[in-house]
Amino acid sequence: MQTSQAETPSPADKKSKAKRPIIDCDIHQISGLEEIKPYLPRHYRELVEAYGPAYPGGMHFNGGVGGRMADAYPEEGGRAGSDLALMQRQHLDRYNVAYGILTGEGYGMQATINYDYAAATCSAINDYTIEHWLSRDSRLRGSVMIPKQEPRLAAKEIDRVGGRADMVQVIVCNGATLPYGNRYYDPIYEACVRHNLPFTIHVGLEGEGINSPPTGAGYVTNYIETRCARPSTMAAHLASFIFEGTFERFPTLRVVLQEAGVLWLAPLLWKMDQEWKGLRVQTPWVRKRPSEYFREHVRVTTQADRRDAEPRLVRRPAGQHSRRRNADVLQRLSALGLRFAQAGAAPACRRPGGPGLLRQRSRTVRSADAREGGGRMSATEQEQQRPDPRAASPDPRRPASSSGKRFRAARVAEIPPGARKIVEVEGRSIGVYNIQGAYHALRNVCPHQGAELCKGLVTAAVVSSGPGDFRFEREGEIVRCPWHQWEFDIKTGCMVVDGKVRTKSYEVTVEKFGVSVEEDYVMIHL
C-alpha cells in the first residue's frame, strides 16, 4: 500500500485518525471506456473505436472541475478517480476507512436497448475493477455491475463474479423501465439471494435512454430538476418492492437506497402504512405494515444526509424545546437505517442486521372504543390506555364488559342469518349482525375518522399466497368502513391488520318474551 509518509499530518488528519474506523459505501473510482476497453470482446472493442461508445446519458454532473472534485485529479496528470495511491492518501488512510465499497461511474450501459452490448460492458467493468482495484488494496470491495434491463443476462453476470468475497453488492441505477419490485426482475433477485448480495440502487440515469421519465409529469429541462425528483423515483421503487410482494417472494433479500437522501423516508413510510390499512384488500399478500418490511429489508446511505438543513427545519426560538425537537429528528433518522461502522465490523452490506422500527406516535386519535361519543384522546391518554404486558390479556373474542343494562334491539325474525340491523340505544348507534345464527353487536363508529362503520360492506377476509392469488375466508365476518375501507372483525370489533385499533363491541343474547320463537328478542347488553 502506498501512503504519504513525507507529508506532515494536518490537525484535521490527526483528528480523523482518532475516530473509529468507518465504512464508505460509495466510492466512485474511474471505470470509463478507456479503462475498460481492453476487457471488451474484440467485436465491441472495434465498434467502439470506429463509432464511439453509443451509451445514453448527457445530463450535467454535480459541479467541480469537469463534474468532479478538483482534488481528485492526480498531480502528475490523469483522470479524476484513476489513482489508487491518491485515494489511499487522501481518503482511506486519512479517515481511517476500514472498508471502501467501489461503485464505479457512468451507468449508461444500463439504459441502452442493446442488451448484449450492455452485458459485455458490465463484464468488462467488473473484470477491470477486480484487477486494477480490488487486488491492490484489501480494504476495497466491489459492486457487481449488471445489465439490469435484461434480467437473465444480469443473473448470469452475478453468478459469474458474485461468489467472490470481495464483491459485496449488486448495483443498478435509479432510472429504470419498470419499478424494481416488478416480477420482471425476479431472476436478478434469485441470483442476489444465491450469493447473499444486497441489491443497491444508486441515483442516476433517470429519464435517459430506455429508462422511464424522471417524474410523473414527464421529462425535465434542467439537472437541478432531476436531482430534486430523484427521491420520488426511489420512493416508487421502494413502494413497488413492498406492494408487489418482492420481500414475501425473497424473504432474505436486502435492498440499499444510495445517494438519494433520507428526510423523505419518514413521511413516505407513514403514508404507506396509512394507505395499507384501507387498501390491504388489493394486496393481501402484504402481510405486515410497509414500515416493517422497510426495517427488515432496506438500508439507506447517508449521502446526502442534509444535516445542514436540520436547524432550519426543526429549530424554534425556545432553546430547550428546539433542542429536544432537533434531537427527536436525529433519533428518527437513525431509526430509518442510518448506521455507522464499528471497528472490526465486516462490510455493512454483508451484515443485514436491522435497526428498530420507526414507531408512529400520532398526537390524537379518534377512538370509539375508548370514548362512546367518538371523542379524541391525547397522546398521554393513549399511553395510559395501553394494557400492562404483565397483566393477563383479555380474550379478544369476547365483547367488552357490560354495565348490566339490557335493551331490546329487534325481534329475532328481523335479523335472519347474514343480515344486520342498525338500532339506536340510549343515543348510541349500534349495528347488530347475525353470523350463522350467532348475534354480534358493534358501535356504529369507525375509530379512524368517525364514519358509520356498520353501513359498510359485509364480506370475507381476503388472504393470498402471492400476487394474483385471492382467497376468501370467514365469510360474512368482516365489515369494511364505507369511507376508507378499514376492515374490522364483526365478532371482536378489532381492526383486521391491527388488533390494537378497535370499535366497541357489545354482548348480545336472545331472550324469550312470548310463546313462539318469532317473539324472541335480540338483547344488547351495555
Side-chain angles (χ1 to χ4, degrees), residues 61-223:
F61 286 102
N62 297 333
V65 177
R68 297 166 178 81
M69 297 176 62
D71 57 358
Y73 289 88
E75 294 181 359
E76 60 275 14
R79 304 176 66 187
S82 62
D83 191 323
L84 174 61
L86 180 61
M87 178 191 294
Q88 292 168 332
R89 183 169 65 252
Q90 277 190 342
H91 185 57
L92 301 180
D93 298 338
R94 174 177 293 183
Y95 298 106
N96 201 12
V97 176
Y99 296 97
I101 302 177
L102 303 177
T103 53
E105 69 159 13
Y107 299 173
M109 82 297 295
Q110 294 185 339
T112 179
I113 194 64
N114 190 331
Y115 299 156
D116 296 315
Y117 178 38
T121 301
C122 289
S123 295
I125 291 175
N126 294 330
D127 291 341
Y128 161 78
T129 300
I130 291 169
E131 181 176 348
H132 285 268
W133 294 89
L134 304 185
S135 64
R136 298 171 60 193
D137 193 314
S138 61
R139 292 172 294 184
L140 297 179
R141 297 292 185 267
S143 305
V144 182
M145 195 72 70
I146 60 171
K148 49 86 174 175
Q149 61 271 49
E150 216 300 341
R152 291 173 298 176
L153 294 178
K156 183 178 179 180
E157 182 64 13
I158 295 171
D159 287 334
R160 188 180 75 89
V161 296
R164 294 177 57 95
D166 51 6
M167 285 292 194
V168 295
Q169 66 181 2
V170 171
I171 196 163
V172 298
C173 60
N174 198 25
T177 54
L178 293 169
Y180 284 130
N182 193 284
R183 282 170 282 178
Y184 174 75
Y185 298 106
D186 278 4
I188 295 176
Y189 307 136
E190 291 170 357
C192 287
V193 170
R194 277 198 299 273
H195 298 282
N196 191 28
L197 294 173
F199 181 79
T200 297
I201 308 172
H202 192 289
V203 297
L205 275 295
E206 300 88 352
E208 302 290 347
I210 63 173
N211 293 336
S212 300
T215 76
Y219 292 93
V220 299
T221 303
N222 303 296
Y223 178 57

Side-chain angles (χ1 to χ4, degrees), residues 402-414:
S402 65
S403 62
K405 297 181 180 180
R406 297 178 303 148
F407 296 88
R408 293 184 185 181
R411 288 186 174 89
V412 168
E414 295 180 57

